[in-house]
Amino acid sequence: MIVHEWLFLTIAPCDAAEPWQLGFQDAATPMMQGITDLHHDIFFFLILILVFVLWMLVRALWHFDYKKHPIPQRIVHGTTIEILRTILPSIILMFIAIPSFALLYSMDEVVVDPAITIKAIGHQWYRTYEYSDYNSSDEQSLTFDSYMITEDDLELGQSRLLEVDNRVVLPANTHLRMIVTSADVPHSWAVPSSGVKCHAVPGRSNQTSISVQREGVYYGQCSRFCGTNHASMPIVVEAVSMKDYGSWVQNFE
Amino acid sequence: MAAGGDQEEKTLTLAQQWALKEIEEQAAKTEPPVQATEDVKPANSDSVEVVAEKTEEISATEEAIPATEEAIPATEEATPATEEAPPTAEEATPATEEALPTAEETPPAIVDSNPVTEEATPATEDATPAVEEVSEDASEERSGEEVVSEESGIKIETAPADFRFPTTNQTRHCFTRYVEYHRCTAAKGEGASECDKFAKYYRALCPGEWVDRWNEQRENGTFPGPL
């Protein structure tokens, strides 16, 4: 039954964790696409090395049998092979490091001026979101708390421990700046489909930039243990068109 | 740039404290792109129209050229005059080519070059598609951004990326913008329009709770920043 679900119910882009999931969630940002691609590239070489090492191991076990070779060879030292098996892995590691660092630093870089700043403030155990681009005074006009929907209040189709009452609404195909901070203990703002995981540290504001490439609803969870209800402060991001975002902002009470 | 900003925070001499020039210039440089495109847009749409007009004019003059060529055999005296004409056309071509890069930004340049291109029809035949491509590309980019803000019905604008604070940690970015705003109002007077942008920046970057706390501290005279 589970396998059935796994095979047939995952045709739609999956932007939330699901039962028996093995791979990544579908990428919604170029950052996540880069992470996925890097993972797959490295995995190719990983499999090659794994097969090679396994082959050596099995071959050794197979051939060096006490019946075939009653007197074992007493080799304890070999300069050539020791140099080779040190140099070769370090070269492989270097070739893995190059794309890895390239991706790491490109993710960190703020290339363009963002269009919208959204502040995500972690609390024990809920999140507050502030959209302050439209404020004309220090009074917060577009601020809301985002609480998890408890198991009893779930409606059909909603995910347990993942759904919230107020989602973060943001426009798709727009450069966004997320300012992540915390009001009490360290939290983390993480959305796997966006390739974002940003720690929320009290007294410090961390910036991460995202540009969601398609409209949809993306789920994430707190990724820094923050107390008893660490599991019940998920993140739900709803990416909409710029038009819908505009009307959402205008109609916000 | 970074050094300038830091210095101004740390210096204690009154003259330097009141000098807001550096901050303002800096802010002017880091103005968000949306505003800039709004200014450029009307001018740009003109340039597209001008290009369209120009191509029409050129096609008109193209028709006119064969007519003058026919006239050449008829009057031998007229030939020196027409011989002179091609060189002027050649001379004119560099002028139009020079105009190409400027065409993106300054529509007046295109308008000026118009009479030249009319004279230099054969040469500009090659040049015109280039002009069109350039100005079309530019207008597409700009109009794209323009559409975004029109589409949403709200002003999409936020604090720009500041290269004094290129790292993930934006704590000081927020704090600096807050201090900049209050130094600005101290110098220009409460509610000065020049300071509005700093207010916008720090509101975008600072969590509301921090702003409230700092406002309280300023009232009590315990604010730790260089106000």
Side-chain angles (χ1 to χ4, degrees):
Chain A
M1 184 59 198
I2 288 164
V3 176
H4 244 224
E5 279 179 11
W6 186 43
L7 283 177
F8 298 110
L9 293 181
T10 58
I11 297 158
C14 54
D15 302 320
E18 57 184 89
W20 295 91
Q21 183 171 358
L22 286 176
F24 289 112
Q25 293 177 28
D26 291 343
T29 62
M31 247 153 71
M32 189 57 199
Q33 193 63 58
I35 292 168
T36 314
D37 290 347
L38 179 74
H39 171 269
H40 292 354
D41 290 348
I42 291 176
F43 222 83
F44 174 77
F45 295 100
L46 196 150
I47 296 287
L48 282 188
I49 293 165
L50 182 80
V51 168
F52 175 67
V53 170
L54 275 182
W55 176 71
M56 298 262 283
L57 210 73
V58 170
R59 195 177 181 278
L61 288 173
W62 191 262
H63 284 285
F64 292 83
D65 188 77
Y66 73 100
K67 282 174 194 157
K68 285 182 189 166
H69 303 275
I71 305 155
Q73 284 191 320
R74 294 185 185 279
I75 302 170
V76 290
H77 189 79
T79 314
T80 319
I81 197 160
E82 276 173 22
I83 288 173
L84 273 179
R85 74 181 175 206
T86 311
I87 301 277
L88 278 179
S90 44
I91 289 173
I92 293 169
L93 283 180
M94 214 177 65
F95 273 101
I96 290 175
I98 292 167
S100 177
F101 279 119
L103 178 70
L104 187 68
Y105 288 113
S106 67
M107 278 166 64
D108 218 23
E109 214 162 310
V110 178
V111 187
V112 289
D113 284 335
I116 294 164
T117 305
I118 298 167
K119 287 173 281 181
I121 299 151
H123 293 88
Q124 276 177 323
W125 290 273
Y126 63 97
R127 292 167 192 283
T128 307
Y129 294 98
E130 291 179 1
Y131 295 64
S132 305
D133 289 344
Y134 322 106
N135 286 6
S136 49
S137 75
D138 284 346
E139 288 294 309
Q140 294 292 336
S141 57
L142 213 171
T143 302
F144 56 88
D145 293 339
S146 176
Y147 284 89
M148 188 194 74
I149 295 180
T150 54
E151 227 165 301
D152 305 333
D153 299 333
L154 279 177
E155 283 167 27
L156 194 67
Q158 289 184 328
S159 304
R160 178 178 158 271
L161 292 177
L162 276 182
E163 200 62 57
V164 296
D165 53 357
N166 292 311
R167 293 167 166 177
V168 196
V169 177
L170 45 82
N173 297 311
T174 312
H175 291 280
L176 307 166
R177 174 200 278 132
M178 291 297 311
I179 295 279
V180 182
T181 186
S182 167
D184 34 48
V185 300
H187 297 275
S188 184
W189 197 85
V191 181
S193 285
S194 304
V196 166
K197 177 177 284 180
C198 194
H199 278 341
V201 183
R204 167 179 165 141
S205 70
N206 281 335
Q207 169 183 264
T208 181
S209 50
I210 51 173
S211 169
V212 182
Q213 299 293 298
R214 55 187 164 84
E215 292 167 25
V217 182
Y218 307 96
Y219 294 86
Q221 286 164 307
C222 187
S223 312
R224 178 89 173 75
F225 184 65
C226 57
T228 320
N229 287 333
H230 167 61
S232 52
M233 47 181 299
I235 299 133
V236 184
V237 172
E238 190 175 343
V240 298
S241 68
M242 187 50 108
K243 188 163 166 267
D244 292 342
Y245 173 74
S247 55
W248 178 78
V249 168
Q250 280 171 329
N251 297 330
F252 192 86
E253 288 161 19
Chain B
M1 204 160 147
D6 288 345
Q7 268 177 12
E8 205 165 42
E9 266 176 51
K10 284 169 192 168
T11 47
L12 293 166
T13 58
L14 207 63
Q16 278 170 309
Q17 273 206 353
W18 293 99
L20 288 161
K21 247 186 176 174
E22 275 184 46
I23 299 175
E24 274 174 17
E25 279 170 3
Q26 206 168 26
K29 278 176 206 163
T30 53
E31 280 284 279
V34 184
Q35 241 186 5
T37 47
E38 272 173 0
D39 298 341
V40 176
K41 175 68 186 173
N44 201 54
S45 60
D46 284 352
S47 79
V48 177
E49 281 167 33
V50 169
V51 170
E53 280 173 33
K54 201 173 72 178
T55 44
E56 278 169 33
E57 279 170 348
I58 285 162
S59 57
T61 44
E62 266 181 278
E63 286 164 25
I65 290 283
T68 51
E69 275 173 354
E70 279 168 31
I72 295 166
T75 50
E76 281 177 22
E77 287 174 11
T79 28
T82 46
E83 270 174 20
E84 276 169 29
T88 53
E90 278 168 33
E91 280 167 31
T93 27
T96 49
E97 276 170 39
E98 279 168 30
L100 286 185
T102 53
E104 280 179 273
E105 291 149 22
T106 53
I110 299 179
V111 179
D112 291 349
S113 66
N114 244 347
V116 183
T117 45
E118 275 173 51
E119 288 169 34
T121 334
T124 44
E125 268 184 329
D126 300 342
T128 29
V131 175
E132 275 181 310
E133 276 170 35
V134 168
S135 53
E136 265 174 13
D137 286 356
S139 65
E140 266 170 14
E141 278 169 29
R142 279 159 193 171
S143 61
E145 277 178 37
E146 186 66 19
V147 167
V148 166
S149 55
E150 276 172 18
E151 201 185 345
S152 60
I154 47 169
K155 201 176 182 192
I156 298 295
E157 189 190 31
T158 192
D162 192 323
F163 293 97
R164 288 176 293 176
F165 312 100
T167 52
T168 304
N169 187 354
Q170 294 289 301
T171 318
R172 276 200 80 77
H173 190 183
C174 141
F175 183 75
T176 305
R177 290 305 195 190
Y178 183 83
V179 169
E180 276 174 355
Y181 170 70
H182 286 287
R183 284 163 68 102
C184 180
T185 48
K188 306 262 172 169
E190 201 68 40
S193 59
E194 300 100 307
C195 306
D196 287 351
K197 59 172 180 279
F198 296 118
K200 200 175 166 52
Y201 295 166
Y202 87 71
R203 277 175 200 141
L205 293 164
C206 301
E209 205 178 308
W210 298 13
V211 173
D212 292 344
R213 193 174 68 228
W214 290 339
N215 284 342
E216 222 167 87
Q217 286 178 337
R218 274 189 314 111
E219 278 168 25
N220 301 334
T222 54
F223 185 71
L227 286 176

